[in-house]
Amino acid sequence: MLYKDYEPAVLEKLQTVELEILKDFVDLCEKHQIDYFGCGGTLLGAIRHKGFIPWDDDLDFGMTRADYDKFLSVADYAYEGRYRIINPDNDDAFQEMISKWYKVGTRFRDRDAIATGHQAGIGIDICCFDNVADDDKVMRRQMIRAWTYGKFFILSKIARPTLYAYGIKKKILEAILLMGHWFLRLIPIRPKFFYKRALKAMMIYKDTLSKRIAYPFDPTPYTSMLKRDDIYPTQFLEFENIKVRFPKKPEKYLARRYGADYMTLPPVDKRHNHPPLELDFGEE
């Protein structure tokens, strides 16, 4: 099925399927003692709407590196193969600095997925939060290095990545990124080189219990960096009547990511989601 935007009934059905996946995700994590926390729009939705942001179409979760690795070790084998993990480590066509746990037999492909050729379906996005240096100067160097390599990885695959900019600023950025994409395509360096360099930068303090953890691959750096004590111990909150783990101090994350007025609804023209060009619920 082809979509350029959502009809209300389609978005509602998509959210329903994602909630079914979420229930299995929560059960799997609890069974294997894997800690996790809702982040991004999922956390904002839990606090502001007690569930999905009304126009949202995905679910975002964070884990520390140890829990992330543990999840990856069991995710493909749980539920008798009903779900699959996809990330740059197991699929060269995947173009994001995350893992996606998706329902086998479904399809959710946006412009970027079609451009690179990966076949992920309806699922949830899992971001790995790594230890970052306690010293601010060292932390900034670590984060910028990881963020830059991560963006080079994406740009080497995607000519027109998603931008949260508007008007003339967006047009200028699109032109710059398009030139950057073709430059990266011409040089004899494979995208995996940038991916591995990004991971190396983020995992440099893997064995150090730092005060902060971060996922550095947001559109701008530092927006998903938090004190460990602001996340743990995680707490259960209601998300569409499902008990889901979220950070201990959600306001800290939300203010950093979305600004102090995060409880205010944005204007209609700034309400983002990710309408796919191909959507298949896997029904016979």
Side-chain angles (χ1 to χ4, degrees), residues 27-47:
D27 289 345
L28 178 62
C29 289
E30 296 302 320
K31 177 181 178 181
H32 291 276
Q33 297 182 317
I34 298 169
D35 210 348
Y36 66 91
F37 52 92
C39 59
T42 300
L43 175 57
L44 179 58
I47 299 302

Side-chain angles (χ1 to χ4, degrees), residues 95 111-113 115-116 153-162 177 181:
Q95 81 287 351
R111 181 188 64 189
D112 294 346
T116 61
F153 169 68
I154 295 170
L155 193 59
S156 66
K157 289 173 167 284
I158 302 297
R160 293 180 174 84
T162 300
L177 292 176
H181 168 75

Side-chain angles (χ1 to χ4, degrees), residues 30-100:
E30 296 302 320
K31 177 181 178 181
H32 291 276
Q33 297 182 317
I34 298 169
D35 210 348
Y36 66 91
F37 52 92
C39 59
T42 300
L43 175 57
L44 179 58
I47 299 302
R48 197 169 66 191
H49 306 277
K50 306 300 181 184
F52 279 108
I53 297 172
W55 55 88
D56 204 4
D57 56 2
D58 68 355
L59 292 168
D60 305 299
F61 290 92
M63 297 177 181
T64 62
R65 177 65 61 179
D67 284 310
Y68 181 81
D69 288 344
K70 190 174 182 180
F71 180 80
L72 295 185
S73 72
V74 300
D76 275 347
Y77 307 103
Y79 303 104
E80 299 180 346
R82 192 188 314 166
Y83 298 102
R84 180 175 177 243
I85 278 284
I86 186 171
N87 57 37
D89 290 314
N90 64 19
D91 191 330
D92 286 339
F94 194 72
Q95 81 287 351
E96 298 182 69
M97 296 294 297
I98 61 170
S99 286
K100 181 181 285 287

